[in-house]
Amino acid sequence: HSRLHFSFPSYLLLFSHLFVLLAIFFPPLLYVLLPLTLSWEEISVMDERNTPMRTYQVCNVMEANQNNWLRTRHISREGAQRVYIEIKFTLRDCNSLPGVPGTCKETFNMYYYESNNANLWFIKESQYVKIDTIAADESFTQVDVGDRVMKLNTEVRDISNLSKKGFYLAFQDLGACIALVSVRVFYKKCPLTVLNLAQFPDTITGGDTALVEVHGVCVNASEEFEAPKMYCSADGGWLVPIGRCVCKPGFEENKDVCQPCRPGTYKASATDAYCTKCPPHSSSPQEQAVECICEKGFHRAESDPRSMACTRPPSAPENPISTVNETCVTLEWSPPRDTGGRGDITYSLHCRKCSGDGKKCTPCGSSVHFVPRQIGLSSATVLVTDLQPDSNYSFTIESQNGVSDLSPTPRGTVVINVTTSQTVSVVLKERRSKDSVTLAWQGPERPNGAIVEYEVIYYEKNQREQNYTVLKTRSNMMTVDGLKPGTTYVFRVRARTDGGYGSYGGEIELETNVLAIGDPNQSTILAVSIAGGIVLLIFLSSCQDSSRTYIHPHTYEDPNQAIRDFAKEIDASNIRIERVIGAGEFGEVCSGRLRVQGKREIYVAIKSLKAGYSDKQRRDFLSEASIMGQFDHPNIIRLEGVVTRCKPVMIITEFMENGSLDTFLKKHDGQFTVIQLVGMLRGIASGMKYLSDMSYIHRDLAARNILVNSNLVCKVSDFGLSRVLEDDPEAAYTTRGGKIPIRWTAPEAIAYRKFTSASDVWSYGIVMWEVISYGERPYWEMSNQDVIKAIDEGYRLPAPMDCPVVLHQLMLDCWEKGRSDRPKFGQIVTILDKLIRNPASLRELANSSGWSVGGSYKLEL
Ligand code: AMP
């Protein structure tokens, strides 16, 4: 509250002098002024503490027709539209004055007159505007003002909508006995304040239009996040703050100011709350850093977040090995010992063909092929095909990562030399009997390593396709027996060294005798064994704890206990919601960040329960968390925790950058290699194996319920109780009641709700079909009824375009009518792993023109 520069006694003192002066200098006006000066008298009295004070008094109660005016000087309004006037006075009770006539009054009037002129010496009575008639709350009776304690009245009035420079106040007495002790004139203002880093100036309150809108100004080193605004209310309080400022990059908030980040810390974005420590291998020597500078030898890729450690290029790949198979070679190597601190290592190969002595080499050219590719390989293996037989090659394997291009140091490389094709030459000896043949041969001239064994292959002439036999031996001689008499056989021999198989030597035709002769048996036949060597696991196999089973939240009497047992409570203040990314049945799904004590901030998805939910809805919503919280597998969406202690109730999970699989595939139609697609399927199968090992049945496995992260890792999501199916737009009501996603569901589950892991396998087959067809709708636009009928009649979805025959076969196996005939998820994982290790097996494409019936043969509709 601000007082106008005005205090009653002293000004009245001045005033009376002025009147005297005026009376002296302007005699014709005396008659106007005289009643004023003569009626109201300035008198000194004692207050209750016996200190003297000045009052203005009038008390002409004995005479009728009083009209006595007392006026202030000009009071500047200083911009205020509403001004308050507090007066303190005493008023004498007419009854207490003996013998006064009926004209005695117990009130007086207060007036004002607005004017830009500060020096008016005369204002007509009629020009004043009346503020109010003032009466006493307490009047006093016998006590005389001169020597006793006074009873003071205090009254406050206000005048509003003032617009001129100032005003005059006046008091009119019509015949009362008054002592005016003080007049205080003031206005109210909202004081200067800083809120949400915005400064709001001292603001004078409004007139009758109550609230004054005030725009805040961002404090030093801050910027507007949302325009800051507040309202100054008529009684001087600030109301309804809106918007805020945030500290600029390089600054952080501390008690209403933005202070620079200290050396060693940084703040990259205005919306980050605080400066954070520089990530590893970086520093910020100066204050106010918006990012930290990488140490020498370390770099930050353009797409790296500034919160990420600075990294360096990887060291060279290690331990390269080759496995030759005729004119193909599989190269495998170990990842670099030093990854440079990154996870995005890729490999590229350079191929050179060299002379016999290895001294002269030339680039291989485009006739040599690399599977899956030559540049940018993400796994540490490649198949090189179409090499020339009997030749030397030198492969340089180079490792790189996201910062290799920023580093001046040469790439880490390792070289491996490979020799193709060691042909086994001429059969030297042969011995025949009625049912056996003995062969001998000479090893290759230049084997590329110690010879491990020889492989003999033979078949009846012209019958190769039906039946051929492979035998192995360590010696370079072998007797093959058990042959038919008088029959021509074709034999071929090849050698295997540490480096793999060589090419077969030429074909040798031999006919067995019709008559029995001797039966020499000089050679050893080794058991056939598939080429061993190093098997490189492309995907990490899942770690499982098979003793654990899933506990249904309904087995808990108190569902809140299930939540407490399986989900971590997160403090809502550690969550920053950033964007809405989707909508679920219970409310929005947002992305944001979660800060966990002592850990890096992580990106999370936040599902919140919208307001106005019932108890059952809250239980169902949280059941998803108490199910998810029991799982721990790289292909199952991970629960970070829940917020249940404050509203809204939230479920926090890891963030999957690429969203749901069906939408993701539609968006990238035709852009992945078969190996990549199989890799995704492998992940889903592995997640499902984990769930089935835990005895959890999903019931709604479909591409729309799989989420994909930035590394293309697929994770199974959408757990919950009844809600899962209620929530799925694909689910339709069946005649038996209950909602079922018909196209994804096994016939026995549709017919009599027999949901098992085997019915999940059926759904998995449909997911395979969705993935290979890049998100096509299963059974296209057929009606649910027609789908049920077609399945019952034995029809199955045909292979999608460009689908490897082995994958379609696996789908058909998943869609076996008898649920025990379907593969288990564990078997599916094994099959897919084999396909990934042996990409050649995916080369044969299925004919996708017609429907499939009962498994392996097809029918054109
Ligand atoms: P839901 O309630 O699980 O059906 O989620 C609705 C939508 O939100 C999904 O289709 C996704 O697009 C998105 N979503 C849900 N969870 C995540 C997550 N963890 N990461 C990214 N997007 C998600």
Side-chain angles (χ1 to χ4, degrees):
H1 292 188
S2 164
R3 263 168 216 257
L4 289 173
H5 304 293
F6 162 71
S7 96
F8 180 71
S10 58
Y11 113 77
L12 273 182
L13 217 60
L14 262 175
F15 224 57
S16 55
H17 292 313
L18 184 69
F19 288 156
V20 173
L21 281 175
L22 284 174
I24 293 166
F25 288 111
F26 303 99
L29 293 170
L30 267 181
Y31 110 97
V32 181
L33 297 165
L34 270 177
L36 255 171
T37 48
L38 292 179
S39 311
W40 287 87
E41 288 175 291
E42 190 190 351
I43 291 175
S44 287
V45 292
M46 295 296 175
D47 71 4
E48 60 262 49
R49 287 188 208 87
N50 268 344
T51 36
M53 63 180 202
R54 311 285 283 182
T55 68
Y56 264 78
Q57 297 191 2
V58 65
C59 196
N60 299 340
V61 286
M62 300 311 274
E63 294 140 61
N65 299 326
Q66 293 296 309
N67 187 15
N68 307 312
W69 287 78
L70 178 65
R71 197 196 80 186
T72 68
R73 66 170 159 85
H74 188 261
I75 302 168
S76 164
R77 89 177 153 94
E78 294 185 2
Q81 290 177 42
R82 181 191 293 262
V83 163
Y84 298 81
I85 302 133
E86 180 203 77
I87 52 176
K88 293 194 171 161
F89 61 93
T90 60
L91 200 58
R92 202 113 175 216
D93 181 353
C94 288
N95 291 335
S96 70
L97 298 166
V100 294
T103 51
C104 172
K105 297 277 185 317
E106 292 181 351
T107 60
F108 62 97
N109 295 324
M110 185 157 72
Y111 293 86
Y112 77 103
Y113 172 66
E114 255 202 289
S115 172
N116 289 329
N117 188 341
N119 298 310
L120 287 179
W121 52 270
F122 172 66
I123 300 162
K124 274 199 280 180
E125 245 177 69
S126 62
Q127 284 177 301
Y128 284 112
V129 179
K130 183 163 171 183
I131 300 172
D132 206 356
T133 297
I134 312 284
D137 290 334
E138 314 206 29
S139 55
F140 61 93
T141 339
Q142 290 117 348
V143 185
D144 200 355
V145 181
D147 54 10
R148 286 294 184 92
V149 171
M150 295 188 300
K151 294 242 170 135
L152 267 188
N153 291 286
T154 304
E155 293 287 328
V156 180
R157 298 290 183 274
D158 65 85
I159 46 181
S160 57
N161 295 335
L162 294 172
S163 58
K164 302 213 168 136
K165 271 195 190 140
F167 56 90
Y168 297 84
L169 289 176
F171 304 89
Q172 183 194 27
D173 164 53
L174 296 169
C177 197
I178 314 162
L180 202 49
V181 174
S182 85
V183 175
R184 199 165 66 93
V185 180
F186 60 91
Y187 57 77
K188 294 179 182 180
K189 63 182 185 179
C190 297
L192 178 140
T193 186
V194 175
L195 188 76
N196 293 336
L197 292 178
Q199 177 170 317
F200 295 85
D202 243 357
T203 304
I204 298 169
T205 56
D208 271 348
T209 49
L211 299 181
V212 181
E213 183 178 320
V214 182
H215 292 268
V217 178
C218 291
V219 300
N220 272 351
S222 72
E223 62 189 41
E224 267 187 19
F225 177 70
E226 190 193 336
K229 205 163 79 164
M230 269 209 287
Y231 293 92
C232 175
S233 71
D235 65 357
W238 288 107
L239 297 177
V240 205
I242 296 171
R244 63 177 291 110
C245 302
V246 287
C247 291
K248 288 184 173 162
F251 291 85
E252 69 182 345
E253 181 173 352
N254 185 8
K255 297 197 194 95
D256 293 343
V257 297
C258 290
Q259 62 186 29
C261 294
R262 279 173 292 115
T265 68
Y266 77 106
K267 200 185 93 171
S269 146
T271 52
D272 293 341
Y274 296 107
C275 303
T276 35
K277 247 180 82 184
C278 285
H281 301 298
S282 70
S283 63
S284 60
Q286 309 276 334
E287 285 195 329
Q288 289 182 23
V290 298
E291 66 177 328
C292 299
I293 306 156
C294 291
E295 284 168 15
K296 198 156 179 286
F298 288 85
H299 311 271
R300 184 173 286 138
E302 214 161 284
S303 59
D304 287 351
R306 283 182 240 185
S307 55
M308 187 174 136
C310 291
T311 52
R312 60 181 168 194
S315 59
E318 297 189 358
N319 313 322
I321 51 167
S322 62
T323 312
V324 176
N325 192 350
E326 299 187 20
T327 55
C328 298
V329 58
T330 303
L331 300 176
E332 289 167 298
W333 56 92
S334 317
R337 205 163 297 171
D338 176 8
T339 60
R342 304 181 64 90
D344 57 354
I345 291 185
T346 58
Y347 307 96
S348 298
L349 283 102
H350 303 281
C351 168
R352 289 181 309 154
K353 186 164 183 284
C354 301
S355 58
D357 56 8
K359 283 190 180 148
K360 254 181 62 196
C361 297
T362 51
C364 295
S366 58
S367 58
V368 173
H369 294 105
F370 294 79
V371 180
R373 68 186 81 82
Q374 184 175 5
I375 308 285
L377 283 164
S378 52
S379 51
T381 179
V382 71
L383 173 69
V384 190
T385 64
D386 305 306
L387 298 169
Q388 284 175 11
D390 227 345
S391 308
N392 295 319
Y393 288 90
S394 169
F395 294 96
T396 306
I397 307 163
E398 181 183 290
S399 58
Q400 68 177 95
N401 63 17
V403 294
S404 292
D405 289 342
L406 302 172
S407 166
T409 52
R411 305 271 161 90
T413 58
V414 63
V415 175
I416 179 166
N417 296 321
V418 173
T419 306
T420 52
S421 139
Q422 315 96 46
T423 318
V424 174
S425 55
V426 214
V427 170
L428 291 179
K429 274 197 265 176
E430 52 176 272
R431 202 175 317 156
R432 283 176 285 175
S433 72
K434 164 178 79 72
D435 59 358
S436 75
V437 163
T438 301
L439 304 167
W441 54 83
Q442 206 168 41
E445 271 172 31
R446 296 176 282 104
N448 68 347
I451 289 172
V452 177
E453 63 186 8
Y454 291 97
E455 190 181 273
V456 177
I457 174 173
Y458 70 92
Y459 48 90
E460 265 181 62
K461 200 179 172 190
N462 302 330
Q463 305 245 317
R464 175 172 187 177
E465 297 307 314
Q466 275 83 27
N467 198 358
Y468 66 91
T469 308
V470 181
L471 301 172
K472 302 201 176 195
T473 177
R474 281 194 181 140
S475 94
N476 51 357
M477 178 187 263
M478 177 188 271
T479 297
V480 182
D481 40 23
L483 302 176
K484 293 184 198 157
T487 311
T488 305
Y489 287 89
V490 176
F491 295 87
R492 302 186 79 182
V493 182
R494 66 174 179 174
R496 181 160 84 82
T497 65
D498 300 333
Y501 283 100
S503 302
Y504 285 104
E507 295 183 350
I508 298 135
E509 288 185 19
L510 289 173
E511 195 183 343
T512 44
N513 294 337
V514 181
L515 292 170
I517 319 173
D519 205 1
N521 188 5
Q522 311 150 318
S523 61
T524 328
I525 298 175
L526 295 180
V528 175
S529 77
I530 302 301
I534 287 102
V535 174
L536 191 89
L537 281 184
I538 298 176
F539 295 88
L540 289 177
S541 59
S542 56
C543 325
Q544 285 157 31
D545 176 0
S546 56
S547 63
R548 275 186 56 200
T549 41
Y550 143 83
I551 301 165
H552 195 294
H554 275 181
T555 54
Y556 277 80
E557 237 174 68
D558 173 10
N560 291 323
Q561 188 56 41
I563 280 287
R564 283 193 290 276
D565 283 357
F566 299 125
K568 197 170 78 193
E569 178 75 25
I570 290 179
D571 185 353
S573 67
N574 290 331
I575 301 166
R576 183 132 45 90
I577 298 181
E578 287 175 333
R579 247 172 336 117
V580 177
I581 51 169
E585 154 87 67
F586 290 94
E588 279 170 351
V589 184
C590 297
S591 66
R593 288 184 232 195
L594 171 67
R595 190 204 287 263
V596 187
Q597 198 88 56
K599 283 199 202 148
R600 240 169 21 129
E601 244 188 8
I602 55 167
Y603 285 94
V604 288
I606 303 148
K607 275 190 199 180
S608 46
L609 177 59
K610 61 186 169 216
Y613 51 82
S614 67
D615 252 279
K616 177 173 182 322
Q617 279 174 319
R618 181 180 191 271
R619 256 199 324 274
D620 285 355
F621 174 74
L622 285 174
S623 74
E624 174 162 36
S626 38
I627 294 170
M628 216 189 292
Q630 300 184 43
F631 303 141
D632 178 13
H633 186 273
N635 296 103
I636 306 289
I637 200 85
R638 191 180 67 247
L639 176 74
E640 295 296 345
V642 292
V643 176
T644 61
R645 296 215 185 107
C646 61
K647 283 178 185 172
V649 175
M650 296 187 261
I651 298 180
I652 317 294
T653 61
E654 65 180 308
F655 181 57
M656 300 292 283
E657 293 81 352
N658 280 315
S660 57
L661 178 60
D662 61 338
T663 335
F664 175 68
L665 287 170
K666 282 180 204 145
K667 207 161 98 197
H668 297 281
D669 194 358
Q671 292 175 11
F672 299 118
T673 62
V674 176
I675 290 286
Q676 282 174 309
L677 296 177
V678 176
M680 295 183 206
L681 288 173
R682 195 267 178 205
I684 302 167
S686 170
M688 288 307 297
K689 169 174 182 333
Y690 176 83
L691 293 183
S692 64
D693 287 347
M694 296 256 307
S695 309
Y696 177 83
I697 299 160
H698 191 289
R699 295 169 182 238
D700 197 12
L701 178 60
R704 65 183 168 279
N705 291 332
I706 304 290
L707 292 167
V708 189
N709 75 7
S710 58
N711 294 325
L712 245 55
V713 176
C714 291
K715 308 200 179 193
V716 180
S717 85
D718 263 69
F719 305 99
L721 301 175
S722 54
R723 85 130 186 123
V724 174
L725 293 176
E726 297 301 324
D727 182 357
D728 188 340
E730 279 297 346
Y733 286 98
T734 60
T735 44
R736 293 171 58 96
K739 269 177 113 183
I740 288 182
I742 300 292
R743 288 154 211 272
W744 281 265
T745 306
E748 75 275 15
I750 298 176
Y752 50 98
R753 301 189 72 76
K754 181 75 191 163
F755 284 99
T756 56
S757 287
S759 63
D760 277 350
V761 166
W762 179 291
S763 312
Y764 178 82
I766 303 287
V767 172
M768 284 184 74
W769 191 91
E770 292 186 274
V771 168
I772 305 297
S773 63
Y774 284 94
E776 180 67 78
R777 179 167 166 73
Y779 312 96
W780 304 276
E781 296 315 316
M782 279 172 69
S783 74
N784 280 342
Q785 277 319 310
D786 288 349
V787 171
I788 294 174
K789 225 162 88 200
I791 293 299
D792 190 44
E793 284 168 17
Y795 292 106
R796 298 290 184 267
L797 278 168
M801 211 165 70
D802 295 332
C803 176
V805 72
V806 282
L807 291 182
H808 189 228
Q809 186 53 53
L810 185 54
M811 294 179 205
L812 293 173
D813 294 345
C814 294
W815 302 329
E816 278 291 350
K817 190 172 175 59
R819 65 176 190 276
S820 53
D821 296 331
R822 296 172 203 153
K824 305 279 176 292
F825 279 117
Q827 292 168 308
I828 296 176
V829 173
T830 310
I831 292 169
L832 295 178
D833 277 343
K834 277 195 186 143
L835 297 181
I836 290 164
R837 276 188 222 132
N838 182 14
S841 56
L842 293 161
R843 264 193 227 142
E844 192 194 343
L845 298 186
N847 171 4
S848 61
S849 58
W851 285 85
S852 306
V853 177
S856 56
Y857 72 94
K858 297 179 185 136
L859 177 88
E860 301 282 335
L861 273 186

